[in-house]
RNA sequence: GGGUGGUUAGCUCAGUUGGUUAGAGCGCCGGUCUCACAUACCGGAGGUCGCAGGUUCGAAUCCUGCACCGCCCACCA
């Protein structure tokens, strides 16, 4: 039966909810309403205090995975809560053009058609990428909507938007003019087959066996030889030095002298460098600055020459002399042969080592020296470090602050050029006379000599060169927009630790450089989502859980709940598909709690906040617990512990509200307190829904809309006020209800233990020493009876004596007893009592030991000692009673 | 190798300044279709808190060392 019919069919005219929560249809509908009403869109200019989060822009090529779902849910939790607190909350969405990844996707498409990007040429290739992005670029947005993200879609940005491209140009030119951008040589990962540079991530390391060759280089002065080792003998043609460790006694006297490169005859200076590991190989390293990143840095430090012996297609270059034109592997054999002929090859051994391979074509990647653009980082790093040290910026969990600081303290210049086509083209032009300049607008003549023969640098910028501007470029910078004035600096950045350097640290640097202000106050590092075995979820392993499938099956709220509840801030989480059932079950539980509260409301029922004096103990208790929960949630959120916050609401709703309060309300609904109980049921529910809304937006909104109008202070729970504690502090009632819960539990346990059938009468006697306890229990004797399925319950002062009694000592001075009659398995009871006595005796022994220790009594705080005394006394009395009970079993 | 996190119930994990008998979810065992919910309810079993020292009246919690596991960075000529 469709939901609407079910409602219409309700006899009393109130809405009747179906017994199961069905999220699928309802979520899309709710989302559309929120969006139409503009709740996601805050206005700039004067108004309430703003609160801003920018999304870490996902790659436009991707689909959202569980890591995104967690990351974005945390952002949405914070945003929704601040929005409810009345702030102008802006959750700014967008996507990243992801240079290499996107280019690869399109190139793969082309490959299927038997074409390469070179076949198309730069311009039509780019058109093709744009077409791709037009077609698929919005898929991520659809997913974010399904997750319930309250993003301002009017402000969605893409890193290749016109505005953001302008920002990229602006900052490039500023840096260039400030002398912070320069051109230099750098070793990159080069795939000879694809003819392109690869990022480190794209050059996948694979363990494989290889050979380590030991080669003897003669010393220049003829006094002997120095032995070096290599896995790539052909690169020796590019050797320009030899390095040893400065403390290595074997080679100490060689430093400063020189060796002669076999086959080539080049003079190789011998230098001392701490990079060299004296333990490995021969302890002497041949230095090839043009073909090994480490050698590059050694060469840099010691001013060694760079000789590039390879061409881009991995054949030997002119510099390789006699070997020029040979493929690198043919050259390797030829070099080995020649070395052997000279008697310079002195040894070969098998080793396993990691070799980089192109992740697309599996070709072995060649470390390759090339000209690149760099940003000088040191001047930018200062303010970013200072932000942390001054407390302007904080990172949660705090341990990441050290990592962040360490990186900045040792920051290296940033290589920003990429030899691909998809991205922001480097805005540097060179004229026929060799004048190079950067420009904001495409120039038609040289700014220095006026020449109209201009050529733009063919490379594009690293993707991060646009994303490091994200917190302000998305708000309109370099224009001085109202958005920028209102929403910058942003407040909280939630991200994964992997991009702390790539992205976060650089955003802080850019924030200070461009805006003169830190881009955000707090950085929250969320953990990695892994599979049940702890492996990273990845496409290649096929172990990922698709958020869309979870949403289809269980709903977005279930997904959000499980993710947030299982993710303590900053720790990795392990998830199996069935874990999302917890979220689904909770949504359904909540649904049914509301169903109960709404069910049987008289037509036109108006809940009112009852005077406190009218409230009975269970009512006061639940409101007391609600206030406690409200404070817990607030405290946890203030410390960015979203998991604790949502768990607090979960425990309250399930275990306080459903397990106890609803049960206690049932017998009172028909009595004189009926309307009061109905009101408290609704009030507690309404506030809990608001507390839960940031985490589970859909089900809370749906139920909230079902509540009587008088309870709702807004058109949507999204914009209803965030709950403050209601001033409900009833510690006495809380204590009384705790007693009642214990007694009921004991009664249930007694029945369960003796397998008393559900329908069977089992008259219980509850003994309580204090009049106050008895009074409480008297008032709820009916509940005890009902909840324990007992037909009658006596409340007495003294525990029953004599034979045939089975008792459960609830706490010192309170006991639930049942006449054994024919209920009890005496032997079982004797055993149970025995182990219980043993247990308490152990505890008593420990307590007495402490109290007998004069150092404890003297040094521990008085309150702790007092508590220990009380504990010992209680244990003694309980033990005494258990002994009696055991004795009463004798003879049965 | 340099950092850094972890080791608590069968599994996945909480446990915030050291202080009543260490908790949850799932799983397991037993019992319930009790009129909000079987996506539920009730009861139960199950833990020497990785190991060894130390500090303390008192340690899962603080310190040291060790053993495993993981992540980040640098990676081996």
């Amino acid at each position: 039966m469709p939901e609407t019919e079910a409602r219409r069919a309700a006899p009393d005219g109130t809405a009747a909810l179906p017994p199961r929560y069905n999220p699928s249809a309802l979520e899309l509908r709710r989302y559309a309403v929120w969006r139409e009403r503009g709740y996601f869109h805050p206005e700039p200019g004067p108004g309430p205090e703003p609160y801003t989060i920018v999304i870490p822009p996902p790659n436009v090529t991707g689909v959202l995975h569980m890591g995104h779902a967690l990351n974005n849910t945390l952002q949405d939790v914070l945003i929704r809560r601040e929005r409810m607190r009345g702030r102008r909350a802006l959750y700014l969405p967008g996507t990243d053009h992801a240079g290499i990844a996107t280019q690869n996707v399109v190139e793969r498409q082309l490959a299927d058609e038997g074409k390469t990007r070179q076949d198309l040429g730069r311009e039509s290739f780019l058109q093709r990428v744009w077409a791709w992005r037009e077609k698929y670029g919005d898929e991520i947005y659809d997913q974010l909507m399904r997750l319930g993200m309250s993003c301002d879609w009017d402000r969605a940005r893409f890193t290749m938007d016109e505005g953001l491209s302008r920002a990229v140009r602006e900052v490039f030119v500023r840096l260039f003019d400030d002398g912070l951008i320069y051109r230099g040589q750098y070793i990159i990962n080069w795939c000879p087959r694809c003819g392109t540079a690869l990022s480190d991530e794209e050059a996948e390391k694979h363990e494989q066996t290889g050979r380590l060759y030991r080669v003897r280089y003669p010393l220049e002065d003829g006094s002997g030889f120095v032995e070096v080792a290599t896995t790539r003998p052909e690169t020796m043609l590019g050797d320009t030095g030899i390095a040893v460790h400065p403390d290595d006694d074997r080679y100490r006297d060689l430093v400063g002298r020189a060796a002669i490169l076999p086959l080539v005859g080049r003079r190789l200076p011998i230098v001392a460098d701490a990079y060299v590991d004296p333990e490995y190989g021969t302890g002497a390293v041949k230095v090839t600055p043009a073909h090994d990143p480490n050698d590059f840095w050694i060469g840099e430090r010691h001013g060694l020459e760079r000789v590039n012996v390879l061409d881009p297609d991995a054949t030997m270059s002119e510099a390789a002399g006699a070997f020029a034109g040979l493929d690198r592997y043919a050259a390797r054999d030829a070099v080995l042969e020649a070395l052997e002929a000279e008697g310079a090859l002195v040894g070969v051994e098998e080793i396993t080592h990691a070799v980089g391979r192109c992740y697309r074509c599996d070709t072995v990647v060649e470390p390759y020296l090339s000209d690149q653009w760099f940003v000088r980082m040191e001047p930018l790093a200062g303010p970013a470090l200072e932000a942390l040290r001054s407390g302007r910026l904080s990172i949660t969990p705090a341990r990441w602050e050290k990592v962040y600081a360490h990186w900045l303290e040792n920051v290296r210049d940033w290589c920003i050029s990429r030899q691909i086509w998809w991205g922001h083209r480097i805005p540097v032009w060179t004229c026929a006379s060799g004048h190079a300049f950067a420009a904001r607008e495409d120039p038609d003549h040289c700014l220095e000599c006026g020449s109209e023969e201009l050529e733009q640098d063919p490379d594009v910028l690293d993707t991060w060169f646009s994303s490091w501007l994200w917190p302000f470029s998305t708000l309109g910078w370099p224009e001085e927009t109202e958005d920028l004035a209102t929403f910058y600096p942003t407040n909280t950045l939630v991200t994964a630790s992997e991009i702390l350097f790539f992205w976060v640290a650089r955003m802080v640097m850019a924030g200070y450089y461009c805006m003169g202000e830190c881009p955000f106050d707090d950085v929250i590092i969320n953990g990695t989502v892994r599979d049940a075995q702890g492996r990273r979820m990845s496409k290649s392993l096929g172990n990922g859980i698709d958020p869309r499938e979870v949403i289809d099956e269980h709903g977005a709220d279930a997904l959000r709940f499980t993710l947030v509840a299982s993710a303590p801030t900053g720790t990795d989480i392990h998830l199996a598909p069935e874990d999302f059932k917890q979220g689904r079950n909770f949504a359904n539980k909540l649904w049914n709690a509301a169903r109960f509260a709404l069910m049987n409301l008289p037509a036109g029922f108006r809940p009112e906040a009852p005077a406190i004096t009218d409230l009975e103990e269970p009512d006061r208790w639940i409101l007391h617990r609600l206030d406690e929960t409200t404070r817990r949630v607030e405290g946890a959120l203030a410390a960015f512990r979203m998991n604790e916050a949502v768990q607090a609401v979960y425990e309250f709703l399930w275990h306080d509200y459903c397990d106890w309060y609803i049960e206690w309300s049932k017998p009172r609904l028909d009595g004189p307190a009926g309307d009061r109980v109905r009101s408290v049921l609704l009030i507690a529910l309404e506030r809990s829904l608001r507390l839960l809304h940031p985490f589970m937006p859909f089900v809370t909104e749906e139920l909230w809309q079902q509540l009587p109008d008088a309870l709702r202070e807004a058109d949507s729970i999204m914009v209803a006020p965030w709950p403050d504690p209601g001033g409900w502090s009833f510690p006495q009632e809380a204590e009384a209800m705790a007693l009642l819960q214990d007694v009921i539990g004991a009664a249930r346990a007694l029945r369960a233990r003796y397998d008393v059938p559900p329908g069977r009468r089992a008259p219980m006697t509850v003994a309580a020493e204090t009049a106050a306890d008895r009074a409480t229990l008297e008032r709820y004797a009916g509940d005890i009876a009902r909840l324990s399925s007992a037909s009658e319950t006596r409340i007495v002062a003294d525990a029953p004596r004599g034979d045939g009694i089975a008792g459960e000592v609830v706490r010192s001075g309170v006991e639930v007893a049942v006449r054994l009659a024919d209920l009890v398995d005496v032997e079982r009871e004797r055993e149970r009592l025995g182990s219980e006595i043993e247990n308490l005796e152990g505890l008593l022994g420990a307590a007495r030991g402490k109290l007998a220790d004069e150092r404890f009594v003297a040094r521990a705080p008085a309150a702790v000692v007092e508590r220990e005394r009380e504990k010992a006394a209680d244990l003694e009395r309980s033990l005494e009673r258990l002994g009696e009970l055991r004795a009463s079993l004798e003879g049965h």
Side-chain angles (χ1 to χ4, degrees):
Chain A
M1 178 165 43
E3 205 180 314
T4 46
E5 279 181 47
R7 278 187 206 158
R8 209 174 298 129
D12 57 358
T14 59
L17 305 175
R20 280 205 184 175
Y21 173 54
N22 178 12
S24 49
L26 159 173
E27 291 183 346
L28 290 174
R29 208 174 60 229
R30 280 293 164 208
Y31 196 88
V33 171
W34 290 334
R35 199 177 166 183
E36 276 164 26
R37 293 195 189 159
Y39 294 148
F40 301 158
H41 179 80
E43 295 297 336
E49 194 187 350
Y51 178 79
T52 311
I53 292 180
V54 290
I55 199 171
N59 289 359
V60 70
T61 51
V63 287
L64 296 186
H65 53 66
M66 275 301 165
H68 293 113
L70 170 62
N71 175 252
N72 298 328
T73 299
L74 294 172
Q75 286 151 13
D76 198 46
V77 165
L78 294 169
I79 280 282
R80 283 180 182 270
R81 163 168 157 269
E82 294 296 349
R83 188 183 290 116
M84 289 174 78
R85 291 170 97 190
R87 293 173 75 175
R88 272 184 293 172
L90 170 60
Y91 186 7
L92 199 155
T95 48
D96 191 291
H97 68 279
I100 296 176
T102 309
Q103 174 158 329
N104 285 344
V105 168
V106 178
E107 281 196 82
R108 264 197 296 274
Q109 274 189 353
L110 285 178
D112 290 343
E113 301 164 19
K115 292 187 224 158
T116 68
R117 71 173 200 264
Q118 285 81 4
D119 294 342
L120 267 71
R122 187 160 190 147
E123 207 153 307
S124 37
F125 176 76
L126 288 178
Q127 276 171 12
R128 179 96 187 217
V129 183
W130 274 108
W132 184 92
R133 131 72 211 186
E134 288 310 314
K135 193 165 173 193
Y136 299 104
D138 288 342
E139 206 178 324
I140 282 170
Y141 292 161
D142 293 337
Q143 287 187 283
L144 288 170
M145 293 178 200
R146 292 207 59 197
L147 282 162
M149 298 303 147
S150 56
C151 299
D152 184 357
W153 299 109
D154 299 341
R155 288 186 170 94
R157 304 307 295 268
F158 176 55
T159 48
M160 295 261 287
D161 278 354
E162 201 190 326
L164 272 67
S165 299
R166 204 158 47 235
V168 164
R169 280 258 179 125
E170 175 66 28
V171 75
F172 187 98
V173 172
R174 280 196 199 183
L175 287 166
F176 190 90
D177 292 346
D178 284 349
L180 294 179
I181 282 182
Y182 67 94
R183 195 151 170 79
Q185 288 199 309
Y186 190 62
I187 298 263
I188 50 157
N189 299 296
W190 183 263
C191 176
R193 200 206 64 85
C194 303
T196 182
L198 298 174
S199 69
D200 288 342
E201 293 73 31
E202 292 163 322
E204 296 176 346
K205 295 286 186 178
H206 294 283
E207 288 282 321
Q208 65 176 54
T209 60
R211 290 195 174 132
L212 184 66
Y213 303 92
R214 293 215 312 281
V215 184
R216 207 165 62 170
Y217 289 8
L219 292 171
E220 184 183 33
D221 56 16
S223 65
F225 299 90
V226 59
E227 212 176 287
V228 298
T230 181
T231 52
R232 292 183 298 152
E234 70 280 10
T235 64
M236 69 162 283
L237 303 171
D239 286 1
T240 58
I242 287 178
V244 298
H245 193 276
D247 299 332
D248 193 334
D249 290 334
R250 293 172 297 177
Y251 300 114
R252 195 180 291 277
D253 59 329
L254 290 184
V255 176
R257 293 161 65 189
I260 298 298
L261 183 61
L263 311 185
V264 178
R266 185 180 300 129
R267 181 177 182 274
L268 307 177
I270 299 173
V271 300
D273 195 286
Y275 165 76
V276 177
D277 177 3
E279 306 294 319
Y280 191 86
T282 62
V285 181
K286 64 188 257 316
V287 184
T288 323
H291 295 285
D292 182 285
N294 298 302
D295 293 9
F296 177 82
W297 294 112
I298 295 177
E300 186 78 354
R301 283 192 287 271
H302 301 280
L304 300 178
E305 205 186 336
R306 293 168 195 157
V307 177
N308 192 337
V309 295
L310 280 172
D311 280 331
D313 61 353
T315 59
M316 305 311 286
S317 69
E318 288 303 313
F323 300 92
L326 287 177
D327 173 76
R328 54 181 163 167
Y329 295 118
R332 180 171 300 176
D333 294 338
V335 165
L336 285 169
E337 205 173 305
L339 285 173
E340 187 137 39
E342 273 194 19
L345 184 64
V346 293
V348 184
E349 63 182 291
E350 297 279 331
I351 56 159
T352 53
H353 60 154
V355 174
R357 286 173 177 275
C358 175
Y359 83 113
R360 280 189 288 162
C361 67
D362 210 37
T363 303
V364 173
V365 163
E366 203 61 42
Y368 194 68
L369 187 69
S370 62
D371 286 325
Q372 305 290 342
W373 289 98
F374 293 86
V375 177
R376 223 178 283 287
M377 295 302 270
E378 234 186 296
L380 300 175
L385 260 177
E386 181 53 28
L388 186 71
R389 293 191 174 135
S390 66
R392 170 68 185 84
L393 176 72
S394 85
I395 306 181
T396 306
R399 64 186 130 89
W400 290 105
E401 293 186 349
K402 273 182 282 184
V403 181
Y404 170 94
H406 183 258
W407 186 80
L408 281 172
E409 282 159 5
N410 300 283
V411 71
R412 285 203 209 161
D413 286 354
W414 176 15
C415 174
I416 51 170
S417 42
R418 294 290 182 273
Q419 290 67 49
I420 54 172
W421 290 349
W422 174 241
H424 300 97
R425 191 148 171 195
I426 290 176
V428 172
W429 285 262
T430 312
C431 75
S433 324
H435 300 127
F437 58 94
R440 289 172 176 84
E441 306 293 337
D442 289 9
D444 53 13
H445 62 275
C446 174
L447 300 180
E448 276 188 58
C449 65
S451 161
E452 289 181 9
E453 280 183 60
L454 290 178
E455 232 179 282
Q456 185 173 5
D457 192 292
D459 290 353
V460 301
L461 288 160
D462 179 11
T463 295
W464 299 104
F465 198 87
S466 51
S467 27
W468 76 324
L469 314 176
W470 190 247
F472 48 89
S473 64
T474 51
L475 292 169
W477 189 89
E479 307 299 322
E480 288 179 11
T481 60
E482 260 198 312
D483 268 5
L484 194 59
T486 306
F487 298 107
Y488 190 89
T490 74
N491 298 85
T492 313
L493 183 89
V494 187
T495 189
S497 59
E498 294 99 88
I499 52 176
L500 188 61
F501 309 141
F502 285 150
W503 193 47
V504 180
R506 287 178 185 154
M507 275 193 290
V508 179
M509 294 190 259
Y512 279 104
Y513 182 69
C514 299
M515 296 291 298
E517 174 58 290
C518 195
F520 27 71
D521 309 325
D522 293 288
V523 174
I524 312 302
I525 302 292
N526 62 254
T528 306
V529 179
R530 299 171 178 280
D531 73 2
Q533 281 84 50
R535 297 172 305 179
R536 188 177 281 270
M537 287 187 180
S538 74
K539 266 187 211 154
S540 52
L541 280 173
N543 62 344
I545 307 173
D546 188 338
R548 288 172 296 191
E549 285 175 22
V550 176
I551 293 173
D552 287 341
E553 202 176 344
H554 303 308
D557 288 332
L559 173 71
R560 293 169 62 120
F561 175 86
T562 294
L563 281 173
V564 175
S566 36
T569 310
T571 45
D572 291 355
I573 55 175
H574 295 194
L575 283 180
E578 56 269 26
D579 292 336
F580 294 99
K581 285 185 182 163
Q582 194 193 353
R584 177 201 61 175
N585 292 354
F586 180 45
N588 190 59
K589 185 74 177 175
L590 177 59
W591 181 264
N592 276 288
R595 205 167 155 246
F596 177 82
L598 293 168
M599 180 169 268
N600 305 319
L601 287 186
F605 178 75
R606 270 186 73 84
E608 278 169 29
I612 283 172
T613 46
D614 292 340
L615 293 172
E616 293 180 311
E617 278 159 319
D619 309 323
R620 292 187 181 192
W621 170 81
I622 196 67
L623 294 175
H624 176 88
R625 293 285 302 137
L626 177 58
D627 265 9
E628 284 183 340
T629 304
T630 305
R631 279 188 291 269
R632 272 180 72 191
V633 171
E634 192 51 42
L637 286 179
F640 299 115
R641 288 200 284 263
M642 276 61 87
N643 65 315
E644 287 180 27
V646 76
Q647 280 162 8
V649 190
Y650 173 91
E651 282 166 25
F652 172 78
L653 274 167
W654 200 307
H655 298 302
D656 292 331
Y657 189 80
C658 292
D659 287 353
W660 291 101
Y661 188 70
I662 285 184
E663 295 307 323
W664 279 330
S665 76
K666 285 176 181 172
R668 297 188 297 142
L669 280 172
D670 295 330
D675 279 356
R676 215 155 53 216
V677 171
R678 268 181 277 275
S679 294
V680 175
L681 272 169
L682 290 169
I683 289 166
L685 175 68
E686 193 275 335
R687 293 180 78 102
S688 321
L689 289 174
R690 278 188 278 149
L691 280 177
L692 190 59
H693 177 260
F695 305 93
M696 302 177 83
F698 293 111
V699 68
T700 50
E701 173 77 308
E702 186 67 18
L703 293 173
W704 200 73
Q705 295 295 340
Q706 304 289 334
L707 297 174
D709 294 345
L711 277 170
R712 288 183 276 125
E713 291 182 47
D715 292 333
S716 161
I717 193 172
M718 257 195 81
V719 290
W722 178 251
D724 291 322
W728 295 308
S729 177
F730 306 112
Q732 281 185 343
E733 286 82 350
E735 184 52 39
M737 292 298 101
L739 171 68
L740 187 57
Q741 289 174 328
D742 287 350
V743 166
I744 290 169
R748 284 171 176 161
L750 272 178
R751 293 186 62 95
R753 193 181 313 135
Y754 300 118
D755 299 329
V756 180
R760 175 148 185 184
R761 295 175 152 239
M764 300 271 173
T765 300
V766 182
E769 284 182 351
T770 70
D773 284 354
R774 278 200 302 282
T776 302
L777 295 168
E778 288 285 2
R779 280 197 294 283
Y780 299 98
D783 290 337
I784 299 167
R786 218 183 64 77
L787 294 176
S788 62
S789 298
S791 52
E792 57 186 80
T793 304
R794 294 193 311 131
I795 314 292
V796 298
D798 296 312
R801 309 272 155 175
D803 292 351
I805 300 294
E808 181 84 5
V809 176
V810 175
R811 51 175 78 168
S812 174
V814 181
E815 175 182 333
V816 177
V818 62
R819 299 181 61 78
L820 289 174
D822 48 356
L823 301 178
V824 175
D825 177 335
V826 173
E827 193 46 44
R828 231 162 106 188
E829 179 65 358
R830 211 194 317 270
E831 272 174 36
R832 189 195 66 85
L833 285 171
S835 76
E836 181 66 11
I837 285 168
E838 205 175 307
N839 180 23
L840 293 193
E841 274 172 348
L843 293 172
L844 180 58
R848 279 183 176 155
K850 271 192 189 175
L851 291 166
D853 184 346
E854 57 193 26
R855 290 176 307 174
F856 170 73
V857 178
R859 295 190 203 183
V864 172
V865 176
E866 187 47 36
R867 210 157 50 224
E868 205 62 28
R869 285 214 175 90
E870 281 169 18
K871 184 172 100 182
D874 286 351
L875 285 168
E876 279 170 21
R877 287 166 55 209
S878 297
L879 276 166
E880 192 182 330
R881 179 57 187 160
L882 289 169
E884 282 175 25
L885 285 168
R886 184 159 62 173
S888 82
L889 294 178
E890 299 307 323
H892 279 267

